Amino acid sequence: MELLPLLCLCLLTRSGVTSAQTNGPAPITVEEDRYVMLPCSLSNKEDITSGVFDWKKDGADAFFYANGQHSNTGRGGQIQQFKGRVFHFEDELKHGNASIIITNTKVADSGNYTCYFPKLQPPQTFKIELVVGEYVH
Ligand SMILES: *[C@@H]1O[C@H](CO)[C@@H](O)[C@H](O)[C@H]1NC(C)=O
Ligand SMILES: *[C@@H]1O[C@H](CO)[C@@H](O)[C@H](O)[C@H]1NC(C)=O
């Protein structure tokens, strides 16, 4: 009987550790052939219109923006998979909002994305996991 409180404490501690390791932010989930917004905003709402941000999927270039030029104006590298499918919100840049929309989602878009601000002091990186599920007919 005296062991019981100890056992409970032990279980609590263990489950606490487990959840800290596995519970990152929940992934964003969407079906294929939809669109999805990947959020990324600076908490201080600093104007990034003339700044730089870089979205990568598993390390590959998904969308790049620098001072008004971006992937859709031919700036920076962008892997073929995302050509013409990724858009930022021009009017939101002045509020530090670098969120993007991916249109016509594909299962292959699933992955770990980073939104990176290389010119900030210090540089900032946000991580977002996207899971695109097959459309169930
Ligand atoms: C960023 O912009 C998008 C598109 O307008 C909007 O849906 C989202 O709420 C904005 N995020 C923040 C933190 O304001
Ligand atoms: C994101 O990265 C984690 C850890 O490497 C991995 O387990 C997970 O499958 C990745 N998510 C996707 C959607 O690929």
Side-chain angles (χ1 to χ4, degrees), residues 1-131:
M1 280 310 245
E2 276 172 33
L3 270 176
L4 199 55
L6 255 181
L7 185 66
C8 293
L9 185 65
C10 179
L11 282 175
L12 274 175
T13 311
R14 284 186 48 137
S15 66
V17 168
T18 308
S19 64
Q21 281 171 347
T22 55
N23 288 4
I28 295 176
T29 58
V30 67
E31 284 179 350
E32 54 185 343
D33 298 326
R34 302 292 166 90
Y35 64 86
V36 65
M37 189 179 76
L38 302 188
C40 177
S41 281
L42 296 174
S43 53
N44 66 1
K45 298 186 182 294
E46 177 180 333
D47 187 349
I48 51 169
T49 308
S50 48
V52 177
F53 61 89
D54 194 9
W55 278 90
K56 288 183 190 291
K57 170 190 180 283
D58 301 323
D61 268 307
F63 188 83
F64 178 79
Y65 177 97
N67 191 20
Q69 301 297 306
H70 49 83
S71 295
N72 296 330
T73 64
R75 178 71 199 269
Q78 183 184 45
I79 58 173
Q80 189 62 35
Q81 174 185 354
F82 290 115
K83 291 261 189 278
R85 289 203 295 127
V86 184
F87 304 92
H88 69 298
F89 297 94
E90 191 67 38
D91 292 345
E92 296 284 346
L93 298 179
K94 57 180 174 293
H95 309 301
N97 184 341
S99 303
I100 51 170
I101 280 230
I102 300 178
T103 59
N104 190 17
T105 48
K106 302 174 192 309
V107 172
D109 295 340
S110 301
N112 288 292
Y113 288 74
T114 53
C115 168
Y116 175 53
F117 297 88
K119 295 284 169 70
L120 294 181
Q121 289 303 329
Q124 287 196 51
T125 305
F126 298 82
K127 298 182 179 177
I128 295 111
E129 183 177 4
L130 174 66
V131 177

